[in-house]
Amino acid sequence: MKRFNIETTIYFGEGSLEKLRELDNKKILIVCDKFIGISDILKKVLDKLEKCEVLVFDEIVPDPTIKIVAKGVQLLKREKFDLIIAVGGGSSIDGAKAIREYYKRIDENIEIDFYAIPTTSGTGSEVTEYSVITNEKESLKYALTNEDLLPTIAILDPELVKSVPKSITADTGMDVLTHAIEAYVSKEASDFTDALAEKAFELVVKNLEKAYADGDDIYAREKMHNASCLAGLAFNSAGLGLTHSLAHMIGGRFHIPHGKINAIILPYVIKFNSDIERKSYLDSENEILKRYQKLGKIAGLNGINPVIGTSNLINYIQRLQKSVGIPKNLKELKIDGSSLLQDIEVIYEIVMKDVCTKTNPKEIKKEDIKTLLKDIVG
């Protein structure tokens, strides 16, 4: 038996930020980072909250830490809020999720609504029951998962992502692609999640390079914003895979943006999952290959058989990476990743404990991790 549910109400398209005007006489905590805290984006949000009392907690950082989450919880304990609004990228939304979750653990009877307003098109965190936080002492990212982490309302206004720089557009866009692909080949994929993952993948294929080339292309921005949310809905039910397990560990160790490290790892994990280098053209009944082949067809690639289709998908992703300025390994990123190969025992243990590993379509051995790390390090 599998489960699919959508508990978050989603408002999307141009002008969707106007939904905030319906709030009246509420005490609201806005959670964001310092950049958003001084930006026009926050001003646009505050303009819609004229009838409410608002306090801004702008101390979220990339890969929010346990220490920052604890600080947010203390703020909630001192003040009584009706609503939390997260404004920003995945880190701000994940940080707000964790703050609300740990606050509610203090008193199970606490009721506090939660709105998520993403300002990047990548994580899909506005519709997922996941939150990634960082343990600074161990330089590790942990994926929390709990239905209570789901926002009450998500607002996807493309006007808020027009100013996103090219590098972040690339990183977050490739993150969406990774979410769609991993959800599609997940052990827990279903007809429902497939429909969402396929559409998210299609939208990225058609719009990422356009949004990267011209940030003012509001149509491409809106489609990427929707793709991010659709992919989030897909993986919230289907789960993810080994790309994310490795990205949590490597990204935490070297402080690499999540979307960027996902993009670097993705082609190598597809090679591993499909075992493409050992397949002959006769392997037409391999289900993992057939799924990758179908995605290749959605991208307009030659997929005359599953092996060719999967191979072409890998080549396409690598071309897309290059076109949006994503390096192919850590070496190109000017990072010395040799320590990863020396710590294989610890890394294997961390990867196998990661929640995302459970739904990877192929079983993983220690030697597999070692081989993958050699490619990732470069």
Side-chain angles (χ1 to χ4, degrees):
M1 180 174 67
K2 296 181 180 180
R3 173 183 69 92
F4 181 82
N5 64 304
I6 302 175
E7 294 189 12
T8 303
T9 302
I10 304 163
Y11 295 88
F12 59 97
E14 291 185 70
S16 53
L17 200 62
E18 291 295 319
K19 175 66 181 174
L20 295 178
R21 290 197 187 278
E22 297 177 13
L23 295 170
D24 187 13
N25 196 29
K26 300 287 186 182
K27 188 170 182 180
I28 298 171
L29 177 67
I30 290 182
V31 177
C32 62
D33 59 29
K34 292 198 179 297
F35 174 78
I36 292 292
I38 59 171
S39 72
D40 288 339
I41 288 174
L42 185 60
K43 290 177 184 176
K44 290 176 182 178
V45 171
L46 293 175
D47 285 346
K48 309 290 190 294
L49 298 172
E50 296 175 313
K51 297 179 283 186
C52 298
E53 180 185 347
V54 181
L55 181 66
V56 177
F57 178 73
D58 65 354
E59 299 192 34
I60 300 296
V61 296
D63 306 321
T65 62
I66 294 171
K67 183 178 179 181
I68 288 172
V69 170
K71 196 169 182 178
V73 171
Q74 290 303 312
L75 178 58
L76 287 180
K77 286 174 68 178
R78 289 197 304 271
E79 308 265 356
K80 296 298 180 184
F81 293 95
D82 303 302
L83 171 65
I84 297 173
I85 300 179
V87 183
S91 292
S92 292
I93 298 173
D94 281 5
K97 283 179 175 179
I99 289 168
R100 177 174 176 253
E101 170 67 10
Y102 285 111
Y103 174 59
K104 288 174 69 176
R105 288 185 186 183
I106 296 169
D107 182 352
E108 292 182 358
N109 295 317
I110 291 170
E111 289 294 333
I112 183 166
D113 284 335
F114 176 28
Y115 287 18
I117 305 176
T119 61
T120 60
S121 306
T123 66
S125 187
E126 68 275 7
V127 289
T128 71
E129 55 193 53
Y130 292 90
S131 173
V132 179
I133 59 174
T134 302
N135 183 325
E136 284 183 297
K137 290 183 180 179
E138 298 181 19
S139 293
L140 284 176
K141 295 182 184 180
Y142 292 107
L144 308 176
T145 178
N146 187 325
E147 283 185 36
D148 290 339
L149 293 171
L150 281 163
T152 316
I153 284 177
I155 298 175
L156 312 178
D157 195 320
E159 189 67 29
L160 302 185
V161 294
K162 282 176 65 177
S163 60
V164 173
K166 277 193 168 188
S167 61
I168 297 177
T169 298
D171 292 350
T172 54
M174 293 301 294
D175 199 16
V176 179
L177 189 80
T178 306
H179 291 157
I181 292 174
E182 291 217 298
Y184 196 64
V185 300
S186 162
K187 285 180 180 177
E188 294 297 317
S190 68
D191 289 344
F192 298 92
T193 61
D194 283 355
L196 294 162
E198 286 180 13
K199 187 61 179 180
F201 179 83
E202 177 190 346
L203 290 173
V204 174
V205 168
K206 291 181 177 178
N207 295 285
L208 174 54
E209 288 176 292
K210 292 177 182 177
Y212 178 79
D214 180 7
D216 290 326
D217 185 337
I218 195 69
Y219 179 85
R221 287 293 197 186
E222 180 175 348
K223 294 304 179 185
M224 285 302 301
H225 222 29
N226 291 348
S228 175
C229 188
L230 289 166
L233 290 168
F235 82 74
N236 189 57
S237 289
L240 292 163
L242 182 56
T243 302
H244 274 77
S245 307
L246 288 166
H248 292 152
M249 181 273 300
I250 298 171
R253 178 175 291 205
F254 297 112
H255 307 291
I256 305 167
H258 179 65
K260 189 184 296 293
I261 190 59
N262 263 339
I264 290 171
I265 296 169
L266 179 61
Y268 304 121
V269 168
I270 294 176
K271 284 181 182 178
F272 164 72
N273 282 339
S274 63
D275 205 15
I276 191 72
E277 292 172 348
R278 298 183 189 178
K279 299 293 184 185
S280 76
Y281 294 144
L282 300 177
D283 289 311
S284 59
E285 296 307 313
N286 182 287
E287 289 302 318
I288 300 173
L289 278 170
K290 286 164 76 173
R291 292 211 144 233
Y292 287 132
Q293 176 197 25
K294 180 148 187 203
L295 289 175
K297 287 181 176 179
I298 291 171
L301 308 174
N302 176 10
I304 193 170
N305 65 50
V307 174
I308 290 175
T310 302
S311 180
N312 285 340
L313 177 65
I314 293 167
N315 292 336
Y316 167 76
I317 293 169
Q318 291 173 328
R319 290 196 304 272
L320 182 59
Q321 280 179 300
K322 188 174 181 179
S323 74
V324 297
I326 300 282
K328 66 181 180 181
N329 52 41
L330 297 184
K331 185 177 180 181
E332 282 194 3
L333 198 55
K334 304 292 190 278
I335 289 176
D336 180 4
S338 57
S339 62
L340 294 171
L341 299 172
Q342 296 162 9
D343 296 341
I344 191 68
E345 296 287 340
V346 174
I347 288 169
Y348 177 71
E349 186 176 342
I350 292 169
V351 168
M352 294 309 294
K353 287 180 179 178
D354 192 293
V355 65
C356 297
T357 301
K358 295 176 183 178
T359 44
N360 193 70
K362 185 179 176 183
E363 297 303 312
I364 303 152
K365 299 177 183 177
K366 194 182 302 178
E367 283 303 309
D368 300 325
I369 298 297
K370 190 172 183 178
T371 301
L372 280 162
L373 289 176
K374 285 178 182 178
D375 287 332
I376 294 162
V377 169

